Amino acid sequence: MSIVTIREYAIQCIKDEAQAVLDLIPKMDEDFDRAVELMMQCQGKVIVTGVGKSGHIGAKIAATLASTGTPSFFINPLDVYHGDLGVMSRGDVVVAISNSGQTDELLRFIPMVLHMEIPIIAMSGNPESLLAKYSTCHLNVSVKKEACPLNLAPTSSTTATLVMGDALAVALMERRNFQPQDFAQFHPGGELGKRLLTTAQDVMLTENLPLLSEEMHLGEAIILVSKGKLGLGVAIKDGRISGLITDGDIRRAMEKWQAEFFDRTVADIMTRNPKKVSPQAKIAEIQKTMNEHKIHNVLVVDDENRLLGIVDRYACVL
């Protein structure tokens, strides 16, 4: 078999799984809304369960829910028969996953859940299954065929189930008005957590800042801007920020005034309302401001518009 032929199988697999995901959209109904509301109103934990490949997908869904504000964990239904039922209590919600909806190990677990009056959100590819019948609401994740060339190995079905789990998590995030600072509490480590938790005062430059006066001639200002190595100079008047010039402003002034350039002052070219942030501003917010306004630095100021420091784009790369 040629490499090209093998690649064609792989491409077809991707197409089949992508189509299986798109086919979920017409199946989104009132049961999805009920599932989101059940999880939203849950006073305990969202317990995700499943066997085999469904169990692996369930573990990922539980992890996604937990990291986005919904207390959740995965449990194997086989472990329930050996004491793990004790982790469940009224006020919990169970998300039970089975492609066939007829998995014996899972069905034997259902009566215990019903006896405890715990609502069940079923995810299966069979709306007529026993799992669907005994659930509080059923999410249909059926697929026309598996991406496997034998139509046997769980491929499209597990992808569809995973996506449905993500859809639940995202809908819950919106329902909770889940914000970046909330996300940071669940992801304190790594680059993401640092960007969401680190503040301007943690990374701002405070020494040898390029400070200028409004009356300073541009010839002198060039030297201070160059020494500052930030590509800017901050104009200060009466101890407070009055404006900002950049090396771009200086180049444009040179082109405009040419021989008269050295007679011009900082006040002639400065931006009088530069972008400023408080010391408590998060790096993620600062990055957003820089990207929106296509700038490389922001000034950190106190309540009286006094310069405390400068955050440049490189300081935001954590």
Side-chain angles (χ1 to χ4, degrees):
M1 184 179 294
S2 69
I3 293 177
V4 174
T5 302
I6 292 173
R7 191 181 305 151
E8 289 173 351
Y9 276 110
I11 292 171
Q12 188 59 49
C13 172
I14 294 172
K15 288 181 177 179
D16 288 344
E17 295 201 10
Q19 189 59 53
V21 170
L22 292 175
D23 289 343
L24 289 176
I25 296 174
K27 299 167 188 167
M28 304 285 280
D29 56 17
E30 293 81 3
D31 269 16
F32 183 87
D33 301 334
R34 282 194 287 270
V36 171
E37 202 57 31
L38 276 173
M39 298 166 80
M40 180 67 190
Q41 301 302 327
C42 177
Q43 298 299 308
K45 310 165 291 295
V46 173
I47 300 172
V48 185
T49 186
V51 179
K53 302 296 189 298
S54 293
H56 294 308
I57 296 299
K60 190 275 177 186
I61 292 173
T64 299
L65 289 170
S67 70
T68 52
T70 301
S72 178
F73 64 88
F74 174 79
I75 186 171
N76 189 316
L78 298 175
D79 294 332
V80 170
Y81 309 125
H82 301 283
D84 283 5
L85 187 63
V87 302
M88 300 176 59
S89 61
R90 290 188 182 183
D92 292 343
V93 171
V94 165
V95 177
I97 304 172
S98 167
N99 185 45
S100 68
Q102 301 289 136
T103 305
D104 182 62
E105 297 92 339
L106 193 61
L107 292 178
R108 285 190 286 134
F109 168 60
I110 298 304
M112 307 177 197
V113 179
L114 295 175
H115 177 72
M116 299 176 71
E117 299 181 356
I118 296 174
I120 299 171
I121 299 170
M123 295 176 64
S124 86
N126 184 2
E128 305 302 321
S129 64
L130 287 174
L131 178 60
K133 177 181 177 181
Y134 289 110
S135 64
T136 310
C137 50
H138 177 257
L139 306 181
N140 186 352
V141 290
S142 60
V143 298
K144 294 177 181 177
K145 69 184 186 73
E146 298 288 2
C148 163
L150 302 177
N151 195 29
L152 294 175
T155 45
S156 297
S157 59
T158 49
T159 299
T161 304
L162 182 62
V163 170
M164 184 63 79
D166 286 343
L168 285 171
V170 169
L172 280 163
M173 289 176 71
E174 185 66 25
R175 181 73 171 78
R176 296 182 193 280
N177 191 28
F178 199 75
Q179 298 298 311
Q181 56 268 29
D182 301 315
F183 199 90
Q185 293 178 6
F186 296 97
H187 301 77
E191 178 185 349
L192 179 60
K194 289 179 181 177
R195 285 195 295 111
L196 293 171
L197 293 175
T198 303
T199 63
Q201 66 183 356
D202 295 327
V203 298
M204 66 184 184
L205 303 171
T206 58
E207 297 181 0
N208 301 318
L209 299 180
L211 306 181
L212 319 173
S213 68
E214 292 186 12
E215 300 78 18
M216 183 180 292
H217 286 94
L218 293 180
E220 184 181 354
I222 289 177
I223 296 173
L224 293 178
V225 169
S226 177
K227 286 183 178 179
K229 298 181 180 180
L230 293 173
L232 59 79
V234 184
I236 303 294
K237 183 176 182 179
D238 298 327
R240 292 171 174 79
I241 297 170
S242 60
L244 177 143
I245 66 171
T246 67
D247 49 9
D249 294 329
I250 293 172
R251 287 194 301 272
R252 287 186 288 271
M254 284 181 172
E255 293 174 1
K256 179 180 179 180
W257 287 309
Q258 298 183 15
E260 299 178 13
F261 171 80
F262 290 98
D263 296 325
R264 299 289 177 168
T265 66
V266 169
D268 292 327
I269 67 170
M270 71 183 187
T271 299
R272 296 185 179 274
N273 293 297
K275 296 302 174 185
K276 294 172 280 191
V277 299
S278 73
Q280 290 74 41
K282 301 296 191 296
I283 289 300
E285 299 169 10
I286 295 173
Q287 285 181 318
K288 182 179 179 181
T289 297
M290 288 181 176
N291 292 334
E292 287 179 352
H293 297 280
K294 296 180 173 60
I295 57 178
H296 299 283
N297 310 85
V298 294
L299 308 182
V300 184
V301 301
D302 63 14
D303 294 337
E304 297 184 4
N305 199 35
R306 289 189 292 247
L307 182 66
L308 301 178
I310 298 174
V311 176
D312 70 358
R313 181 173 295 275
Y314 298 106
C316 294
V317 181
L318 301 172

